[in-house]
Amino acid sequence: MQSKGLIKFLVIVVSIACLYSLSFTFVTRKVERDAAEYAKGDMAKEKAYLDSMAGEEVYNLGLAKFTYREAKAHELALGLDLKGGMNVTMEISLDELIKNLANNPKDEKFNASVANALQKSKSVNKSVVDLFVEDYKASGATTPLASFFATKDNSTLIKASSSDAEVRNFLTKESDNAIQNSYKVLRTRIDKFGVASPNIQIQQGTNRILIELPGVNDEARVRKLLQGSAKLEFYETHSNFQVYPLLENINGILASSLKSTTATTATAKDSVATDSTKRDDNLLANLGAAKNEKKDSAATVSPEVAANNPLFSILSPATYMEQNGQPQLAPGPMVGMANLKDTARVNAYLNRPEVKANIPANLKLLWAVKPEQRTPNFLSLYAIKLASTETGAVMTGDVVTDARDNFDQHNNPVVSMEMNMDGARQWRRVTAQAAQNREAIAIVLDGVVYSAPSVNEEIPNGNSQISGSFTIEDTKDLANVLKAGRLPATAKIVEEAIVGPSLGQAAIDAGINSAVIGIVVVMIFMISYYNRAGIAANIAVLFNVFFLMGILASLNAVLTLPGIAGIVLTMGTAVDANVLIYERIREELRGGKSIRQAISDGYKHAMPSILDSQITTFLVGLVLFFFGSGPILGFATTLMIGIATSLFTSIFISRIIFEYMLSKDMKISVSYPWSANTLLNANFQFIKKRKTFYAISVVAMIICVASIFTKGFTLGVDFRGGRTFTVAYEKPVDLEDVRKNLDETFASSTEVKTFGSENQVRVTTTYHIDETSDEADKEVLAKLNEGLSKISGNKHEILSSQKVGPSIATDIKDRAIWSGIFSIIIIAAYILVRFHKWQYSIGAAFATIHDGVILLGLFSILDGIVPFSLDIDQHFVAAILTVLAYSVNDTVVVFDRIREDLGKPGAHSKNFGDVINHAINTTLSRTVITSLTIIFVLVVLFIFGGDVIRGFSFAILIGIVVGTYSSIVLAAPSVYDLGRGKHITEEKTEEAKVVTP
């Protein structure tokens, strides 16, 4: 094998990299096990323990050290279906945006067009802005569209004379800004909420933001947090010099009250009083150093000082070092810094009644939004001066008309801010007063300080430039915050999924069980069928799983239950490459070659089929990745990475093992006596009987199409909209009783299905389907509990819930349809490029369409007959695309053998039908063995994978059987008919040149 040393080196490097990536998961899991053991079931104690560990070093690699927070950021995170938590899709109300940008006009045609656009957007995959402009133009209105938006606030952006196209561009830009600003606001709120490993992302091309919050169990608080309007305010500030004496006094009060509650000696109390009331350089020297050294303050302050100074032991005063080495109070409104893990404790101290009684009414202490770069583990505390207004702010953010990141004359990042006329007048007064007193103005959003710039001079026109020690990212963030103040659109929850921790743990158990059993089944089969060569394949499979998990961890991917399904499926498809290689080795051995030469030629001749089959599956994974969302993204990611790792391990690692065995003169066997001649010399007349198979397939497709258009499907909630709940009763229940009770309560038809065991049901209702407000959610939940409670003597618990608005459902359905169409087009295009003849593309496309129709039809026919859910949802889309990819995978192997046979001397003198028939028969053993291997894995997934993905695994299982059938009896025979029985390749065909590893 060429470059054997390089390949070994690459295997070692990749192994070390994967071990490094996975090691963070091992470290964080240990910390979390320690927390659980310490808390003994008390969730508050467990959270407090983990909070206290946030800044603690938990992983030391010598050259690099990591705190728990840093290690957590690198771990392989678990998705909601494994960990429990909340998945929310927020939709920015673009109808509100349009009305607010026009100052809410009373014009009937304008408002009708907004309402029509909103309604159409639920069924048409176009933006509300485009639909609004189109509807207004079609309404026959005589008032120019631009006249509504040419307000004083928008005067720099749109004119009364602007064209409809310019209005459309203006509204599109403003809607993009609203989405970006909402994203920034939501990101900050989630960070403040303290969720571990949250995921928030804008769904490109839409006005939606996807949010995943693992481990969250306070849904009401999350909804309130996410749907509250952004509140931007400008505050005057107190200086550090003014506030430090107060902090000293608070420190003394705390020392006295804390010591009195712990019944310490009177002597100690006296010494504390003396220490805390004395203002001298020693106290600053002891307490101010911690901030400058960027260490935990509690670790650097002596035990005596920490005991006597409870506040200052965790809150370092804002100081700087003079040239003589003495600490001095720093100017400005920042009064202290605390380690991130200590901020909750500081808040608790400041909220004690005896402390609050001593804080002046015009003072509020607020934290910064995030740590500064020079102190990454510390958060700054600012002293805010409350004005006589209702909120205490001197100005609110609605006066800001625009803000953008920019650069000053020295090329330093700054933020430019513009205000309307009312704002400019207020800003002139505020800045004049601040400049006179050399004070700063704090910019506060949702109760946290984003910036507190000093004011150098009065700003008369409302156009300001904010400078500081900013990075480019800082100025972008601050500009977004300033624009969020006039956010003219609210964000509403239009899709929601809640997974209870109990369901999450059940999903974890099911996933682990299916993965472990899947590995065992594959390994037993490979050894049982391929003898010693099976051992090499098994080692490659284990490396494959290790590499796959390591790469997922390095990419900060989120592992979901469909992701685990992808891993289990990858183990099955990983064997495919080994089967192709081993079957070719057996062919070479039957030709009389030595084992060394047979191995070399086996790898060489199997390579084109391996690459073609895996690339087609990878292309389908790409389609899933771009069109899917949520757990489907996890499946697509796992599938694509798994294909890459499978190729690497099957081609290189198994080859290294064979080379080692050959160098040691070890016996290499690729079969047992009973398995050596499986399907050898098979000579089934597939071409001769092709019309019979065509007829069987046509009849089956007609039956399936008839069922699809008569009986139809049960659409999942993500395709039709509505709310779905998973409910567990203490004892088994009768579905009809539950359905009858819920129908009476909701006064509408309710879908009730068994979900797993007889005491667990899944309820789907379209009650209030068009309403996504909190009030509607509460009403639906109340009616649900009312109906469920009618089963007397049988308590129930809601394990999980999902909510999908009609606009989301339409969008998901459209994306699903397009993903199927694109998959078939991409696969057909790849085959056309690879085989240069359209007959191959049409043959493969015909087989994949056949498989898709049969699978859809079976889901329609069997729905309600089998004892598990056969809903058509996103999981089914992933399943059917995977089936199409596998079907083409099988088909391409046959096509490759046809091409290879046609490249042999004298092939063109043979009947084309005989060439195709021979190609199908010679690849039959590979097709059957690979299909059986994957079927074994899917049966394991179906039985042990859990209720959540049972329909998903059933779809792939049935699809593999149908795909195997079509690739054998439909795809290649249709190429024969499309070519009218003649050779459809060039007379001179070179055998594919393959670089052997």
Side-chain angles (χ1 to χ4, degrees):
M1 182 175 68
Q2 300 173 1
S3 306
K4 182 163 57 176
L6 177 61
I7 293 169
K8 287 181 179 179
F9 174 75
L10 190 59
V11 169
I12 292 170
V13 169
V14 173
S15 299
I16 292 172
C18 289
L19 186 62
Y20 170 78
S21 297
L22 289 171
S23 65
F24 291 100
T25 304
F26 302 143
V27 170
T28 56
R29 294 292 185 272
K30 182 184 181 304
V31 174
E32 286 155 13
R33 282 196 303 270
D34 292 343
E37 186 178 340
Y38 164 78
K40 300 189 185 305
D42 187 331
M43 296 306 296
K45 285 181 70 176
E46 185 173 336
K47 187 177 185 305
Y49 181 96
L50 293 176
D51 286 344
S52 70
M53 292 296 294
E56 296 293 329
E57 179 187 308
V58 294
Y59 193 20
N60 189 339
L61 288 174
L63 295 176
K65 299 176 182 179
F66 300 91
T67 63
Y68 171 68
R69 184 187 302 105
E70 292 165 339
K72 192 74 178 169
H74 290 86
E75 74 169 356
L76 180 60
L78 299 179
L80 300 185
D81 49 1
L82 292 176
K83 190 175 182 178
M86 202 169 178
N87 180 313
V88 173
T89 299
M90 308 288 296
E91 187 172 76
I92 313 306
S93 302
L94 296 186
D95 55 322
E96 285 186 22
L97 172 79
I98 294 170
K99 288 181 178 180
N100 289 337
L101 287 173
N103 280 343
N104 294 299
K106 303 297 183 184
D107 187 274
E108 290 184 6
K109 290 186 176 179
F110 180 96
N111 290 316
S113 293
V114 173
N116 292 340
L118 182 62
Q119 189 61 36
K120 288 178 184 176
S121 68
K122 296 176 181 178
S123 57
V124 180
N125 196 17
K126 293 182 76 173
S127 75
V128 173
V129 168
D130 288 341
L131 291 169
F132 161 71
V133 174
E134 290 170 8
D135 192 275
Y136 186 79
K137 289 168 70 175
S139 69
T142 55
T143 306
L145 197 54
S147 63
F148 293 107
F149 299 100
T151 64
K152 61 180 181 180
D153 288 346
N154 302 328
S155 58
T156 59
L157 304 171
I158 196 82
K159 306 295 182 187
S161 58
S162 297
S163 65
D164 287 348
E166 288 173 324
V167 171
R168 185 197 301 263
N169 291 336
F170 162 71
L171 292 175
T172 300
K173 183 179 178 182
E174 287 298 305
S175 66
D176 290 342
N177 285 339
I179 294 165
Q180 291 291 337
N181 295 342
S182 296
Y183 170 83
K184 177 63 186 176
V185 171
L186 292 170
R187 169 89 263 178
T188 305
R189 289 177 180 177
I190 290 166
D191 288 343
K192 283 176 61 185
F193 192 77
V195 179
S197 305
N199 175 34
I200 174 168
Q201 56 186 344
I202 297 173
Q203 292 184 314
Q204 295 302 323
T206 72
N207 58 322
R208 302 187 191 107
I209 299 171
L210 175 67
I211 301 167
E212 291 183 342
L213 306 173
V216 166
N217 52 20
D218 190 350
E219 294 88 11
R221 183 183 167 206
V222 170
R223 293 189 193 103
K224 181 179 179 181
L225 179 80
L226 295 180
Q227 294 188 125
S229 15
K231 188 177 182 182
L232 176 67
E233 296 166 314
F234 296 89
Y235 286 92
E236 294 177 326
T237 59
H238 293 284
S239 74
N240 186 24
F241 301 107
Q242 296 169 325
V243 176
Y244 180 73
L246 173 66
L247 294 180
E248 278 191 299
N249 188 37
I250 292 172
N251 185 55
I253 292 169
L254 285 169
S256 298
S257 61
L258 290 174
K259 282 202 171 185
S260 64
T261 57
T262 54
T264 52
T265 62
T267 307
K269 290 181 186 177
D270 294 339
S271 65
V272 169
T274 305
D275 273 348
S276 59
T277 55
K278 188 172 64 174
R279 222 186 134 206
D280 58 17
D281 290 340
N282 290 332
L283 187 58
L284 279 180
N286 286 328
L287 301 174
K291 177 176 77 75
N292 297 319
E293 293 174 12
K294 304 179 189 178
K295 295 180 182 178
D296 188 320
S297 57
T300 55
V301 176
S302 67
E304 293 81 12
V305 174
N308 296 332
N309 297 276
L311 177 64
F312 285 150
S313 66
I314 56 174
L315 179 72
S316 303
T319 62
Y320 71 94
M321 289 293 180
E322 285 191 325
Q323 291 183 349
N324 60 8
Q326 292 299 312
Q328 295 295 327
L329 291 175
M334 199 262 279
V335 298
M337 298 183 79
N339 196 301
L340 286 167
K341 68 183 180 65
D342 292 329
T343 53
R345 206 161 138 216
V346 173
N347 289 340
Y349 281 163
L350 296 177
N351 284 320
R352 289 174 69 95
E354 68 271 25
V355 172
K356 290 176 73 173
N358 284 273
I359 296 178
N362 70 338
L363 171 65
K364 182 192 291 187
L365 295 169
L366 297 179
W367 294 105
V369 64
K370 63 180 181 181
E372 297 179 22
Q373 282 188 320
R374 61 190 179 87
T375 51
N377 292 320
F378 282 76
L379 210 57
S380 301
L381 187 67
Y382 288 86
I384 304 301
K385 183 188 293 185
L386 300 180
S388 57
T389 61
E390 183 180 344
T391 62
V394 290
M395 293 175 63
T396 54
D398 56 353
V399 299
V400 178
T401 57
D402 194 21
R404 57 192 175 276
D405 55 299
N406 214 328
F407 295 92
D408 63 14
Q409 64 271 26
H410 303 295
N411 209 33
N412 295 318
V414 296
V415 174
S416 299
M417 178 177 66
E418 297 173 9
M419 296 181 175
N420 59 26
M421 287 187 292
D422 291 338
R425 283 194 296 270
Q426 295 179 59
W427 194 235
R428 179 173 188 170
R429 174 182 55 77
V430 170
T431 54
Q433 185 173 341
Q436 182 180 359
N437 300 325
R438 297 183 179 180
E439 293 175 346
I441 300 293
I443 302 169
V444 178
L445 179 70
D446 287 342
V448 290
V449 179
Y450 276 78
S451 180
S454 298
V455 179
N456 297 323
E457 58 185 357
E458 174 188 309
I459 302 172
N461 55 10
N463 296 331
S464 312
Q465 191 176 82
I466 303 170
S467 59
S469 301
F470 292 140
T471 64
I472 294 175
E473 288 302 315
D474 290 337
T475 54
K476 288 182 183 295
D477 289 347
L478 183 54
N480 281 334
V481 166
L482 291 167
K483 285 187 286 190
R486 66 181 295 263
L487 198 63
T490 57
K492 298 176 181 176
I493 295 176
V494 291
E495 181 182 10
E496 177 183 291
I498 300 167
V499 181
S502 57
L503 185 64
Q505 185 57 50
I508 292 174
D509 295 339
I512 292 173
N513 290 338
S514 62
V516 171
I517 297 172
I519 290 176
V520 171
V521 168
V522 169
M523 295 176 73
I524 290 174
F525 176 79
M526 291 303 289
I527 294 175
S528 300
Y529 192 81
Y530 286 112
N531 206 329
R532 289 193 174 188
I535 297 174
N538 287 342
I539 294 172
V541 167
L542 291 175
F543 267 101
N544 181 41
V545 175
F546 172 61
F547 288 164
L548 175 56
M549 299 297 288
I551 292 171
L552 286 172
S554 67
L555 294 176
N556 288 328
V558 177
L559 188 62
T560 61
L561 196 56
I564 290 180
I567 293 171
V568 176
L569 189 61
T570 295
M571 289 185 290
T573 55
V575 175
D576 178 38
N578 288 112
V579 170
L580 279 169
I581 293 166
Y582 292 173
E583 291 299 316
R584 289 309 295 248
I585 291 174
R586 286 160 65 152
E587 282 187 45
E588 304 300 332
L589 288 171
R590 286 193 287 266
K593 294 182 180 179
S594 67
I595 186 65
R596 183 180 294 274
Q597 189 61 43
I599 289 172
S600 177
D601 289 349
Y603 274 88
K604 174 183 175 182
H605 293 132
M607 196 68 68
S609 296
I610 292 172
L611 292 176
D612 286 334
S613 61
Q614 298 296 337
I615 287 172
T616 51
T617 310
F618 187 87
L619 291 173
V620 171
L622 272 178
V623 173
L624 275 174
F625 184 81
F626 285 110
F627 283 91
S629 62
I632 302 307
L633 280 178
F635 174 75
T637 303
T638 304
L639 184 66
M640 290 189 292
I641 295 172
I643 289 169
T645 56
S646 297
L647 284 171
F648 181 78
T649 55
S650 301
I651 295 171
F652 294 119
I653 290 183
S654 62
R655 187 68 186 277
I656 289 174
I657 295 169
F658 281 138
E659 291 290 333
Y660 174 79
M661 295 174 73
L662 288 170
S663 69
K664 299 296 183 181
D665 292 326
M666 297 172 67
K667 183 181 178 181
I668 300 176
S669 304
V670 289
S671 63
Y672 288 97
W674 70 269
S675 63
N677 298 317
T678 305
L679 294 174
L680 182 64
N681 300 322
N683 191 28
F684 299 103
Q685 297 302 311
F686 295 109
I687 297 297
K688 187 177 292 186
K689 297 179 179 179
R690 69 190 187 281
K691 292 182 180 178
T692 302
F693 293 122
Y694 290 167
I696 293 171
S697 293
V698 168
V699 170
M701 290 175 72
I702 289 172
I703 293 171
C704 289
V705 169
S707 180
I708 290 170
F709 284 100
T710 55
K711 182 181 179 182
F713 306 106
T714 300
L715 295 180
V717 70
D718 47 359
F719 273 17
R720 62 174 171 168
R723 292 171 175 84
T724 293
F725 303 88
T726 302
V727 181
Y729 279 93
E730 285 185 338
K731 295 177 285 189
V733 290
D734 183 274
L735 287 185
E736 287 306 315
D737 288 345
V738 177
R739 184 182 295 111
K740 180 183 175 183
N741 293 335
L742 290 173
D743 285 350
E744 290 175 357
T745 305
F746 284 117
S748 63
S749 178
T750 311
E751 181 186 291
V752 182
K753 292 183 178 181
T754 299
F755 189 71
S757 57
E758 292 182 354
N759 69 319
Q760 199 162 284
V761 295
R762 175 167 279 183
V763 178
T764 302
T765 176
T766 55
Y767 184 73
H768 280 336
I769 186 174
D770 291 317
E771 297 182 37
T772 57
S773 64
D774 285 348
E775 291 72 22
D777 291 340
K778 290 175 183 176
E779 185 179 345
V780 172
L781 190 60
K783 285 187 174 291
L784 175 71
N785 282 312
E786 179 187 338
L788 294 173
S789 299
K790 290 181 180 179
I791 306 293
S792 59
N794 199 352
K795 292 183 180 179
H796 69 272
E797 177 188 1
I798 298 174
L799 298 179
S800 68
S801 65
Q802 183 183 5
K803 176 179 74 176
V804 180
S807 59
I808 287 278
T810 301
D811 184 49
I812 291 173
K813 201 185 317 179
D814 290 345
R815 289 161 74 94
I817 293 169
W818 282 110
S819 65
I821 294 170
F822 275 123
S823 292
I824 294 173
I825 292 172
I826 288 172
I827 288 170
Y830 175 79
I831 291 175
L832 179 63
V833 170
R834 196 73 180 85
F835 294 92
H836 307 295
K837 294 294 177 179
W838 62 268
Q839 288 90 343
Y840 288 104
S841 290
I842 299 300
F846 170 63
T848 53
I849 291 171
H850 163 272
D851 299 340
V853 170
I854 296 294
L855 188 54
L856 282 164
L858 286 173
F859 258 58
S860 173
I861 293 167
L862 297 175
D863 186 28
I865 298 175
V866 295
F868 50 87
S869 173
L870 290 183
D871 291 354
I872 303 297
D873 53 16
Q874 289 192 84
H875 291 91
F876 176 80
V877 173
I880 197 170
L881 292 184
T882 305
V883 167
L884 299 186
Y886 178 80
S887 176
V888 174
N889 179 317
D890 249 359
T891 300
V892 165
V893 172
V894 179
F895 287 176
D896 267 314
R897 184 56 69 96
I898 294 172
R899 181 174 56 185
E900 182 182 334
D901 287 350
L902 287 173
K904 294 177 180 177
H908 288 273
S909 62
K910 297 180 181 178
N911 180 278
F912 188 43
D914 292 338
V915 173
I916 292 178
N917 210 65
H918 178 264
I920 298 173
N921 278 291
T922 51
T923 57
L924 198 57
S925 61
R926 172 265 167 200
T927 301
V928 171
I929 296 304
T930 300
S931 296
L932 282 176
T933 307
I934 297 177
I935 286 170
F936 291 156
V937 172
L938 287 166
V939 168
V940 169
L941 195 63
F942 177 77
I943 296 172
F944 298 100
D947 302 313
V948 178
I949 58 169
R950 186 148 288 145
F952 170 76
S953 53
F954 178 76
I956 300 180
L957 179 60
I958 297 301
I960 293 298
V961 176
V962 176
T964 303
Y965 165 85
S966 69
S967 65
I968 294 173
V969 303
L970 296 180
S974 65
V975 172
Y976 175 80
D977 285 319
L978 290 167
R980 298 181 181 179
K982 298 178 181 179
H983 292 281
I984 56 169
T985 187
E986 293 82 4
E987 289 294 322
K988 294 181 181 179
T989 307
E990 291 185 6
E991 187 175 347
K993 295 180 180 178
V994 180
V995 180
T996 58

